[in-house]
Amino acid sequence: MEKVTIMKRTIFITGATGNIGGKIACEILRDDPAAKLILLVRGRNSLEAEKRLLKTFGNLYSDMGMAEFTDRIEVLCGDITSPNLGLSESCLGKLESEITHIIHAAAGTKFDQPFETARLTNIEGTKNITSLARRLYNHGRLRQLAYISTAYVCDRSRDMIYEDQIPVNPQFSNNYEKSKWEAEQHVRSLMPQLPIAIFRPSIVIGDSATGRLNNFNVIYAPLRFICRGTLPVLPCSSASILDIVPVDYVAAAICHIMFKTHDAHGKIYHITAGIDNQPTVGEIVSQTVEYINHAHGTAPIRRPRYVKNSIFHWVSRFLPRKLKKIINVIMIFEPYVLNNLRFDCTNTAAALAGSGIYPPKPSQYLGNILGYWLKATHAVRIRKAA
């Protein structure tokens, strides 16, 4: 019988100090003992890059450091915005003979960043990664490039967003979305030439079991004000839906589709909560308030009132300066609670069928999310002192 040789995976990951990239790196190290990771990390030097990575691993897993994985991790100090990622020609030549998979998770995720800043990281950085992918593919070893996009490159004029839908001239809520849309268009144009899969997560929050996360952003900003009892109004109905997904589900789904399915190339996957699994804003707020009041025994916090968008903007003009600052932060996230978007995830569901990987219900994990976040950021202590 002819002996079958299995090619070991050597996976090049960008964004390993971020939420999704870091979680994916940790999951691969734990689940695939034969895999080697080559991680591109920004830093003034290799030592600083390794320290940033170590901090990320510690945030995501309290019992996980790099020591036990030293022989399976190679940290490259580089930058996706630089030509050739800031790597030498000899280094690139070495990568040609090693890399089998690329996961491009690095991105500038701030909603209020200038477009030129977003363009440099999210568009030019992605072009630099696809240039590397083309070089590796021509060399004959690259088996797949996974591009981590966002579900919010969608066309908000539609209530249902389909995975294979190509948004043409959509309306964007911020420069992050616009830059990610342009980057995705570039990646899509290369699908006939390279083995590419695109993954579109929605709003990513902490681990469903532990609550752990590397960077607290997006939904955590308004939650902070709710926990302090300082948010008077929300510009939506309590019935407005919000698509949130725990980072462990996102990482597990992406890894399964990349490494355990055979036809991911050329497809787009919504890594979202699912049509029947999206919580309402009212449910999130109620569970947050109940958790704070029950777990910490403090004076009951004030629940925000739900008002129409037009009233919200009118009321905000007459609020004290301190409250206006809070309102300005909330307005950044306003589009995400106004559109009631629902994301089809047919491709994802088919790829994960029988795997046991599925998005848990928010009611099952939100307490874990709040518990870890409050402990890590001392949000309740800050509220008591206010």
Side-chain angles (χ1 to χ4, degrees):
M1 181 181 292
E2 183 180 353
K3 184 178 180 180
V4 177
T5 301
I6 300 175
M7 183 186 292
K8 292 184 178 180
R9 302 185 186 106
T10 299
I11 305 154
F12 182 86
I13 302 178
T14 70
T17 56
N19 289 328
I20 297 176
K23 190 69 172 180
I24 288 174
C26 291
E27 290 295 309
I28 294 173
L29 288 173
R30 290 198 160 195
D31 295 342
D32 186 350
K36 176 184 176 181
L37 300 187
I38 300 177
L39 309 176
L40 187 76
V41 180
R42 283 186 297 108
R44 289 172 293 183
N45 51 54
S46 297
L47 181 60
E48 182 179 272
E50 290 182 4
K51 285 183 177 179
R52 291 187 65 214
L53 185 66
L54 185 61
K55 181 180 179 181
T56 297
F57 283 8
N59 288 340
L60 295 174
Y61 290 99
S62 60
D63 61 341
M64 186 173 186
M66 288 201 301
E68 61 182 302
F69 302 108
T70 300
D71 59 336
R72 297 173 52 206
I73 296 176
E74 181 178 352
V75 179
L76 297 180
C77 183
D79 189 336
I80 63 169
T81 66
S82 299
N84 293 326
L85 310 179
L87 304 176
S88 66
E89 186 59 34
S90 61
C91 181
L92 291 171
K94 181 174 177 288
L95 296 182
E96 285 181 351
S97 63
E98 293 188 45
I99 294 174
T100 60
H101 296 75
I102 295 176
I103 301 175
H104 179 35
T109 58
K110 291 183 178 179
F111 289 172
D112 56 352
Q113 62 188 317
F115 184 68
E116 287 309 311
T117 302
R119 171 186 287 279
L120 180 62
T121 303
N122 296 340
I123 301 174
E124 299 306 319
T126 298
K127 289 181 178 179
N128 289 335
I129 292 297
T130 56
S131 293
L132 173 65
R134 188 187 298 277
R135 175 171 176 166
L136 299 177
Y137 187 69
N138 290 340
H139 195 75
R141 282 187 65 84
L142 184 68
R143 293 156 65 184
Q144 190 163 73
L145 163 64
Y147 171 64
I148 313 301
S149 183
T150 172
Y152 295 96
V153 296
C154 60
D155 184 351
R156 281 185 167 81
S157 66
R158 303 169 182 263
D159 293 331
M160 178 64 72
I161 311 301
Y162 294 95
E163 290 166 308
D164 297 325
Q165 177 183 325
I166 302 175
V168 179
N169 298 322
Q171 297 297 312
F172 302 108
S173 301
N174 49 61
N175 288 329
Y176 165 70
E177 291 180 0
K178 182 178 180 181
S179 62
K180 291 294 282 185
W181 177 82
E182 289 193 23
E184 186 179 298
Q185 301 314 298
H186 167 70
V187 174
R188 287 175 66 99
S189 72
L190 298 176
M191 278 183 162
Q193 307 165 33
L194 296 173
I196 293 172
I198 295 176
F199 298 92
R200 293 176 177 169
S202 55
I203 298 172
V204 180
I205 57 176
D207 185 286
S208 61
T210 66
R212 287 182 170 272
L213 198 65
N214 190 42
N215 302 306
F216 299 108
N217 48 31
V218 192
I219 192 174
Y220 290 94
L223 282 180
R224 183 171 70 250
F225 299 126
I226 291 172
C227 289
R228 293 175 179 175
T230 56
L231 181 61
V233 291
L234 281 170
C236 62
S237 163
S238 62
S240 297
I241 57 175
L242 198 61
D243 199 295
I244 56 177
V245 281
V247 68
D248 54 312
Y249 166 69
V250 174
I254 291 173
C255 287
H256 181 87
I257 294 170
M258 273 200 75
F259 304 129
K260 297 182 180 179
T261 60
H262 303 289
D263 60 347
H265 300 171
K267 292 183 179 179
I268 296 176
Y269 299 89
H270 279 163
I271 312 298
T272 55
I275 297 172
D276 300 320
N277 200 29
Q278 296 170 302
T280 65
V281 173
E283 289 169 343
I284 294 174
V285 171
S286 293
Q287 192 166 345
T288 299
V289 170
E290 290 170 8
Y291 181 90
I292 293 294
N293 292 338
H294 175 74
H296 298 279
T298 58
I301 59 176
R302 291 180 294 175
R303 296 172 183 254
R305 296 182 60 187
Y306 302 96
V307 299
K308 292 183 178 179
N309 176 259
S310 57
I311 297 176
F312 175 82
H313 287 275
W314 182 81
V315 168
S316 66
R317 294 184 298 172
F318 302 99
L319 294 174
R321 180 179 298 178
K322 184 177 180 180
L323 283 180
K324 282 185 177 180
K325 291 181 179 180
I326 296 174
I327 295 300
N328 288 338
V329 172
I330 298 304
M331 287 172 66
I332 296 175
F333 306 101
E334 181 183 20
Y336 296 92
V337 295
L338 286 181
N339 292 281
N340 287 310
L341 299 177
R342 296 184 182 275
F343 298 97
D344 165 69
C345 48
T346 300
N347 290 344
T348 302
L352 297 180
S355 69
I357 301 170
Y358 54 87
K361 294 186 178 300
S363 59
Q364 298 172 337
Y365 64 76
L366 193 54
N368 298 332
I369 301 296
L370 292 168
Y372 177 76
W373 168 66
L374 290 169
K375 182 178 179 180
T377 62
H378 308 290
V380 170
R381 181 182 62 79
I382 293 171
R383 183 175 65 83
K384 286 180 178 179

